[in-house]
Amino acid sequence: TDTIIFDKTGTITKGEPEVTDVLSYNNYENNEILRLAASVEKASEHPLGQSIVKKGEEELLKLVAPESFGAIPGKGLKATIEGKEILIGNRKLMMENNMDIKDKESDLSRLEEEGKTAMLIAIDGKISGIIAVADKIKETSLEAINKLQSMGLDVYMITGDNERTAMAIAKQVGITHVLADVLPENKASKVEELKSQGKH
């Protein structure tokens, strides 16, 4: 073996994400963005979603059940709550739904450079908020990765996070090979790709 690939969430990181930032636009209050997002995420299994629900409950917000709900793998969620059409997810999801995110790009970039996963929230066709979530690095990750590298192994990190967030996390643990923006169903083919380059 000359190469090792770690999944990020729950392997390099603790897999216990926490909400770090809530931003709101279009006359919405932060708490209203959090309440709607947590209400939608209550129906989701995703650890990032669960962290939003937890934060909503900690803030004692009144969560409601969505009238409709659908998950779009690797992109986010679509739901109807209190008659409002809500989308929560990444840039891809917003672009596929013809949303203009240009003026939110500086907020997104700032959060991502801090190693956070930033989720856009659109309400009735307008970007109305961003919720950022961060997952702490395990205390033992840096040491383990250093040891593997000193044994001459190439260490890779693979993640669904975008390049900017992924690089910020990788930097903290000394990983230089990063496979970012990889959907869950494409992770195995990335492994095959590296094998085809002669890596073991």
Side-chain angles (χ1 to χ4, degrees):
T1 302
D2 55 18
T3 305
I4 186 157
I5 309 171
F6 288 119
D7 198 30
K8 188 205 75 170
T9 306
T11 307
I12 292 171
T13 64
K14 290 184 172 178
E16 298 162 5
E18 288 168 14
V19 172
T20 54
D21 307 76
V22 180
L23 309 180
S24 51
Y25 315 101
N26 298 336
N27 302 322
Y28 278 95
E29 298 283 322
N30 284 3
N31 267 359
E32 180 61 1
I33 291 296
L34 184 59
R35 183 184 75 86
L36 290 168
S39 294
V40 172
E41 294 285 4
K42 218 170 157 58
S44 156
E45 299 289 302
H46 202 284
L48 294 184
Q50 291 309 305
S51 68
I52 295 174
V53 175
K54 190 171 161 229
K55 182 72 171 170
E57 288 169 346
E58 280 168 10
E59 300 291 333
L60 306 177
L61 303 176
K62 193 172 169 3
L63 306 188
V64 292
E67 287 104 72
S68 73
F69 173 88
I72 301 120
K75 291 172 193 166
L77 304 170
K78 194 173 194 168
T80 310
I81 282 200
E82 297 167 344
K84 295 181 175 78
E85 286 294 324
I86 301 191
L87 287 169
I88 303 177
N90 56 20
R91 291 173 178 80
K92 280 186 199 131
L93 181 69
M94 299 305 158
M95 286 166 176
E96 281 173 13
N97 287 275
N98 305 317
M99 309 262 178
D100 185 12
I101 58 167
K102 275 199 290 292
D103 60 339
K104 307 294 180 278
E105 203 49 65
S106 65
D107 284 338
L108 287 171
S109 303
R110 176 179 58 79
L111 294 164
E112 288 164 352
E113 273 155 19
E114 293 166 9
K116 298 168 181 174
T117 300
M119 287 167 273
L120 290 150
I121 291 129
I123 302 170
D124 289 332
K126 284 200 179 85
I127 305 284
S128 303
I130 295 174
I131 295 182
V133 169
D135 190 1
K136 292 190 179 73
I137 288 167
K138 285 181 185 172
E139 291 81 357
T140 49
S141 291
L142 178 61
E143 186 195 348
I145 288 158
N146 281 342
K147 272 189 183 162
L148 291 163
Q149 287 170 335
S150 69
M151 289 159 66
L153 287 163
D154 274 339
V155 181
Y156 282 74
M157 181 180 89
I158 192 165
T159 176
D161 283 348
N162 71 36
E163 193 81 24
R164 208 179 273 120
T165 303
M167 290 310 282
I169 299 281
K171 204 168 150 191
Q172 293 175 54
V173 289
I175 289 179
T176 50
H177 304 299
V178 176
L179 305 169
D181 270 320
V182 185
L183 294 173
E185 63 270 23
N186 298 338
K187 286 182 179 172
S189 64
K190 281 284 175 198
V191 174
E192 291 308 318
E193 211 172 284
L194 289 173
K195 280 183 181 173
S196 72
Q197 294 166 21
K199 295 182 190 300
H200 294 279

